[in-house]
Amino acid sequence: MQQESFETHPDADKTTKEIIDRARKFIRDNNGTIEGIGVSLPGLVDPDGKELFIPGFNWRDLPLANQISTATGLPVTMDNDANAAAQAELWFGRPEIREVRDFILVLVEGGVGTGIVFDGQVYRGENGAAGEFGHMTIGQGAPVACASGSRECWEAFASERSALARFKGLSGGRNGAAKTNFGKLIDLALTSEGPARTALKETAYFLGIGIANLIRGLAPQAVIVGGPIVRAWPVISTDIRTTVEATICRGLPTTRIIASTLGPEPTLMGALSLVLASKFASVSVT
C-alpha cells in the first residue's frame, strides 16, 4: 500500500494543492486504476461533502470535495474523521463488531471525536453535526483548551494534548518533557512507572467519565476506543472501565468497552471505507 504524509498548512489553498498533487501521483503510479477518493476531516462536514467548520485551522465552507474531484476526475467522498473511523469499524473492525448493530467509536487524537452507529449505519444528524460529544462539558480547569478555546470540554480533559500537558506538569519540565510527543509518552508509560504512566491513567479517568455519559444517553451495545492511544491499552483499559462502572447508573445494561484493531491511524482506513461505502453500499444519511 502506498502512503505519503505532509504537514497540514493552515492556508487551505496550499493544503488543497498538496492533496491534489499527491492524488494525481497515486493515480499515475497505479495506471489510472484508482476509482475514488475518500477524505476524513477533524471537524463538521455536511453529507454533501462540503466542509462546514474545521476548528483547528478555522476553515469554513470550503468546496474541497469539488476542487479535488475537478482536478483529478474522480468522485470524492468526505466525512468527519470519527464518522469515517466508525465506518471503517463496520468494514474492517473486530469480528465481534460485525455482529453489533449499535456502537460508538471514540476517536482520541489532538481532540476527541465520536462516530455513532445505529442499526449498522453511521448516524450523522442534521447537516452532519451529530457526534460532537468532544465538546460536552464535563468539568472546569482542564489542562488544555479544546479546539474552540474552552477548558470545560471533554476533549480538553481526555485528548492527546491533555495527556502531554499532564506529563509536562508532573515532570516539572525535566527530561525533555516539553519536547515529548504522544508516541514517546506511550513508550515511557509502557516501560516504567512514573509521570508518563500517571498522565495517561489520569487521561483514562476522564475518558471513562465521557464514555459513561455516552452510555447513559445512548445505551450502545459497545464503545470502541480508537486512535494512537490504543497502543497504551494495557495501561489505561482498567482505569477507563473502573471509572465507567463507578459512574454509570445501576440497572443499565452492561456495555463492552474495547480497543480498536484498526491501528494508530484509523482515519486512513476511514477514508478508504468512505469510498467503499459510496461504491458498494447503500448508505442512508439520517
Side-chain angles (χ1 to χ4, degrees), residues 53-86:
F53 182 40
I54 311 301
F57 299 100
N58 198 29
W59 295 349
R60 294 179 181 271
D61 300 330
L62 302 172
L64 181 58
N66 183 64
Q67 289 176 331
I68 297 173
S69 182
T70 299
T72 62
L74 294 176
V76 175
T77 308
M78 284 176 41
D79 207 340
N80 167 269
D81 55 357
N83 286 345

Side-chain angles (χ1 to χ4, degrees), residues 212-256:
N213 288 338
L214 299 182
I215 293 171
R216 277 193 290 253
L218 299 174
Q221 292 171 281
V223 174
I224 306 170
V225 178
I229 200 168
V230 299
R231 194 160 62 86
W233 201 245
V235 175
I236 66 173
S237 59
T238 297
D239 294 270
I240 292 174
R241 293 189 178 107
T242 299
T243 302
V244 170
E245 290 169 4
T247 307
I248 207 73
C249 301
R250 290 184 179 180
L252 288 179
T254 300
T255 299
R256 286 181 289 171

Side-chain angles (χ1 to χ4, degrees), residues 40-272:
S40 65
L41 295 162
L44 292 172
V45 181
D46 71 13
D48 295 324
K50 181 180 180 182
E51 292 176 57
L52 294 182
F53 182 40
I54 311 301
F57 299 100
N58 198 29
W59 295 349
R60 294 179 181 271
D61 300 330
L62 302 172
L64 181 58
N66 183 64
Q67 289 176 331
I68 297 173
S69 182
T70 299
T72 62
L74 294 176
V76 175
T77 308
M78 284 176 41
D79 207 340
N80 167 269
D81 55 357
N83 286 345
Q87 187 76 61
E89 292 289 347
L90 288 168
W91 283 87
F92 307 110
R94 304 167 68 114
E96 58 265 42
I97 292 302
R98 296 169 198 159
E99 302 171 4
V100 170
R101 302 298 293 172
D102 302 314
F103 69 84
I104 301 173
L105 183 284
V106 178
L107 181 62
V108 182
E109 296 184 315
V112 175
T114 56
I116 304 168
V117 173
F118 289 150
D119 197 24
Q121 298 286 335
V122 176
Y123 177 76
R124 295 176 174 85
E126 184 71 16
N127 289 328
E132 288 297 313
F133 288 105
H135 295 292
M136 65 179 169
T137 299
I138 68 165
Q140 293 181 328
V144 296
C146 76
S148 298
S150 171
R151 288 182 179 264
E152 300 178 350
C153 293
W154 188 22
E155 77 169 40
F157 285 93
S159 64
E160 292 179 359
R161 294 184 299 110
S162 68
L164 288 168
R166 290 187 181 97
F167 174 63
K168 182 179 178 180
L170 291 166
S171 301
R174 299 184 301 275
N175 302 320
K179 297 181 179 180
T180 299
N181 60 29
F182 193 65
K184 178 62 174 176
L185 179 67
I186 293 176
D187 290 339
L188 292 170
L190 289 173
T191 56
S192 64
E193 297 286 345
R197 181 167 291 205
T198 300
L200 278 177
K201 289 171 78 67
E202 288 182 7
T203 302
Y205 166 80
F206 286 104
L207 271 175
I209 292 291
I211 289 171
N213 288 338
L214 299 182
I215 293 171
R216 277 193 290 253
L218 299 174
Q221 292 171 281
V223 174
I224 306 170
V225 178
I229 200 168
V230 299
R231 194 160 62 86
W233 201 245
V235 175
I236 66 173
S237 59
T238 297
D239 294 270
I240 292 174
R241 293 189 178 107
T242 299
T243 302
V244 170
E245 290 169 4
T247 307
I248 207 73
C249 301
R250 290 184 179 180
L252 288 179
T254 300
T255 299
R256 286 181 289 171
I257 303 171
I258 57 180
S260 173
T261 56
L262 297 182
E265 296 182 336
T267 53
L268 289 179
M269 297 299 289
L272 171 60

